[in-house]
Amino acid sequence: MAVQNYASVTGLVQNVTNVTDQCCTLEVSIVTRNGIVNMILGPDTYVVNNLRLRKGMSVIAFYDADAPVPLIFPPQYRALVISQKSPQEFVDLMYFDENLVNRDNTLKLNIASSTMVTTCNGQTFSCNPGNNWLLVYYSTTTRSIPAQTTPRRIIVMCLD
């Protein structure tokens, strides 16, 4: 999964159905501010905490923004990561350097002892999470450039 450009869809799950003749693939319809978006979840989609998706659940799904997509309505993307999202927090999937600053220099992470840092499989990540793709859960930031935050949770994606 050598993705260089992730994009996200945030909204409420409207429906979860099996894709015809592909029992290991689901279609999740998400109601966003701009309408409905269908996300395809395959066996390789990382579902944070093995979450069982349900109607009405607030979620954020990340996909490869550079991947080809069918020109259909509603839009349809192949989800690479999907997570539940609370209204009070931000969830971002970005590459952070060794100083924990993201690529576009808009966010710097300050890790506290209360920050839970794990791998995708839930194991404690005891190294510096820098120089990795990180799924970051946070609520407030400073108004500095880059903005700084102390995240509640970091999942180290361990991608190339």
Side-chain angles (χ1 to χ4, degrees):
M1 189 162 55
V3 177
Q4 295 298 313
N5 189 17
Y6 287 95
S8 65
V9 171
T10 303
L12 298 176
V13 174
Q14 179 185 44
N15 199 17
V16 180
T17 57
N18 280 339
V19 174
T20 308
D21 298 334
Q22 297 179 19
C23 294
C24 290
T25 304
L26 297 175
E27 180 179 89
V28 179
S29 296
I30 300 174
V31 178
T32 71
R33 285 189 230 165
N34 300 321
I36 294 175
V37 175
N38 291 328
M39 300 302 295
I40 304 300
L41 279 65
D44 58 340
T45 301
Y46 172 51
V47 181
V48 177
N49 296 335
N50 294 315
L51 182 68
R52 182 172 177 210
L53 301 171
R54 300 173 194 255
K55 184 175 183 174
M57 182 180 284
S58 178
V59 297
I60 183 166
F62 295 91
Y63 63 94
D64 182 352
D66 297 326
V69 294
L71 295 175
I72 59 174
F73 186 82
Q76 178 176 295
Y77 305 102
R78 182 162 294 280
L80 299 174
V81 177
I82 190 164
S83 176
Q84 189 168 14
K85 182 186 176 307
S86 79
Q88 302 87 357
E89 76 181 344
F90 301 99
V91 181
D92 283 316
L93 178 57
M94 297 180 274
Y95 184 84
F96 287 84
D97 66 16
E98 67 277 356
N99 298 314
L100 298 175
V101 176
N102 68 353
R103 276 193 177 154
D104 56 1
N105 200 36
T106 58
L107 187 63
K108 178 178 182 356
L109 305 180
N110 298 315
I111 298 177
S113 60
S114 61
T115 304
M116 183 171 46
V117 183
T118 64
T119 61
C120 291
N121 63 9
Q123 304 307 305
T124 300
F125 190 84
S126 56
C127 299
N128 177 2
N131 290 322
N132 279 298
W133 285 91
L134 306 177
L135 185 61
V136 181
Y137 296 78
Y138 61 98
S139 57
T140 58
T141 63
T142 64
R143 292 182 151 203
S144 60
I145 299 176
Q148 295 187 39
T149 189
T150 302
R152 174 182 68 81
R153 181 178 185 189
I154 297 173
I155 299 175
V156 181
M157 302 302 288
C158 298
L159 304 173
D160 292 332

